Amino acid sequence: MASSRRRPPADALTADDLAALQAALDAGKRATVYLREATPSLGLEAGASARVVSIDGTTVTVSPAGVDDRLPYEAEELRRSRTAPVAAPTARAPRAPRAARTPRPTPTTPAPAAPTAPVAAPTPTPTQTPASTPAPAKPRRSKSAPVSIGVTVASGPDDTWTVTVSHGARKAGKPAVVTADRVLEAVRALGDPAASEAVEEKVEAARAAARERVEVLSRELEDARRALDRLTEQGN
């Protein structure tokens, strides 16, 4: 029984193309492919270029130009050249030969013409029907690969803490100021002893500096009160 599996398009990536692209990635070189069909939801036209990120079997993960994301495509959805190759003209089927006309009998004047046997009509030659053209493949809806998220917690002067969040390759957003107790609570929830110890040391050092500052200010305040008392007594 003949296989009903649809043959891939002639300009799609072949196994040799996938091997060549993988070799380029292994060598640290840039590998570029092009989309066979447009993806209107992402603003990509047919022939748009895309940088190859990784290859898994026949699935090629690419980063299209102008799209800040990585998308998986099948090999039959990509090609090596920007434009599709020009298909060779197909040979036209030869026309069936016309049936030769049977010459009409010429009647003779003296004697009536003998009855002639009926001439059989020529059997029409069946014409070749063109092979059925496979229906165009529906554009495959690409699934967006999960975007990596980075969270950076940093400590600054005067016991200030900031949190910065970055999405994939986008530029990190503006740092948000958080309190030391919230940072310590979040780090303890991670269950990483090394991280918890580092934050606790930073927070404890900030506490010690704050206590020392309070003591210095308390002494200065007490000295100021005594000076005020003396000036008040002298004024009376």
Side-chain angles (χ1 to χ4, degrees):
M1 181 180 294
S3 174
S4 59
R5 185 177 180 183
R6 183 172 62 86
R7 297 181 60 184
D11 59 341
L13 295 181
T14 63
D16 294 338
D17 294 333
L18 294 176
L21 293 171
Q22 185 63 56
L25 292 178
D26 296 339
K29 298 180 180 179
R30 180 184 179 90
T32 303
V33 293
Y34 301 89
L35 305 186
R36 293 186 59 256
E37 297 181 359
T39 307
S41 59
L42 298 177
L44 297 175
E45 299 180 352
S49 63
R51 179 176 60 85
V52 178
V53 178
S54 62
I55 301 175
D56 184 7
T58 59
T59 301
V60 183
T61 301
V62 300
S63 178
V67 177
D68 191 13
D69 203 350
R70 296 180 177 182
L71 307 175
Y73 283 87
E74 290 300 318
E76 63 182 14
E77 298 176 309
L78 304 171
R79 59 177 176 237
R80 294 297 299 272
S81 60
R82 183 180 299 275
T83 57
V86 179
T90 56
R92 298 179 60 182
R95 295 182 179 179
R98 296 182 179 179
R101 293 183 178 181
T102 303
R104 295 181 180 181
T106 304
T108 57
T109 303
T116 58
V119 180
T123 303
T125 303
T127 58
Q128 297 181 355
T129 58
S132 59
T133 305
K138 295 182 178 180
R140 180 177 177 272
R141 182 177 297 179
S142 59
K143 297 181 179 179
S144 299
V147 180
S148 59
I149 298 177
V151 179
T152 304
V153 180
S155 62
D158 300 332
D159 191 29
T160 58
W161 291 82
T162 58
V163 176
T164 306
V165 180
S166 59
H167 298 267
R170 298 179 182 176
K171 186 178 179 180
K174 184 178 180 181
V177 179
V178 295
T179 58
D181 58 331
R182 299 296 296 275
V183 174
L184 184 57
E185 180 181 357
V187 173
R188 286 176 177 173
L190 296 177
D192 188 345
S196 299
E197 182 179 356
V199 175
E200 288 175 357
E201 290 180 357
K202 178 68 176 179
V203 173
E204 183 59 32
R207 288 198 189 104
R211 284 194 294 266
E212 182 179 354
R213 180 61 176 165
V214 168
E215 292 176 359
V216 172
L217 293 176
S218 297
R219 289 194 297 268
E220 292 179 356
L221 179 59
E222 187 63 26
D223 293 341
R225 285 177 177 175
R226 291 175 182 174
L228 180 59
D229 292 340
R230 289 193 297 267
L231 292 174
T232 303
E233 292 176 357
Q234 293 175 2
N236 294 335

